[in-house]
Amino acid sequence: MTEKPVYPFQRAPRCQARCKRTGEPCKNPAVRGWKVCRMHGARGGSKRGKEANNYRHGGYTAEMEEERRAVREVVADAEASIASMDRCRS
């Protein structure tokens, strides 16, 4: 009897994702360099910035979120310094 050939995808590491309904692991091979298969998010995601399909005004882009975070830090520092000056006067 001849042995069956072993193909490279059969030796590939398996996807780490689990089925929500049954809890069984996914049996697809993981994409090279990722822990999940192509159906579970490897190389996934949408475009960013103005190339994104639902782009309107840019108010919620990563750059704007970072800018808002920086402004909040500056305001918090200013409020803290004002509060410390008020304590010194009393």
Side-chain angles (χ1 to χ4, degrees), residues 72-84:
R72 276 193 298 264
E73 288 177 8
V74 169
V75 169
D77 290 343
E79 288 174 347
S81 64
I82 289 171
S84 68

Side-chain angles (χ1 to χ4, degrees), residues 16-69:
Q16 300 289 314
R18 292 193 159 282
C19 178
K20 283 201 268 188
R21 188 168 43 95
T22 63
E24 292 181 7
C26 177
K27 295 175 178 71
N28 292 319
V31 174
R32 186 177 296 146
W34 295 76
K35 291 185 176 189
V36 292
C37 66
R38 61 192 176 90
M39 276 77 79
H40 286 111
R43 299 184 185 156
S46 63
K47 298 178 182 176
R48 296 187 178 267
K50 291 186 178 182
E51 296 84 30
N53 295 331
N54 201 21
Y55 182 84
R56 294 285 191 270
H57 47 69
Y60 295 99
T61 58
E63 293 83 20
M64 285 301 296
E65 294 288 337
E66 181 63 33
E67 190 171 329
R68 279 194 285 276
R69 192 174 299 119

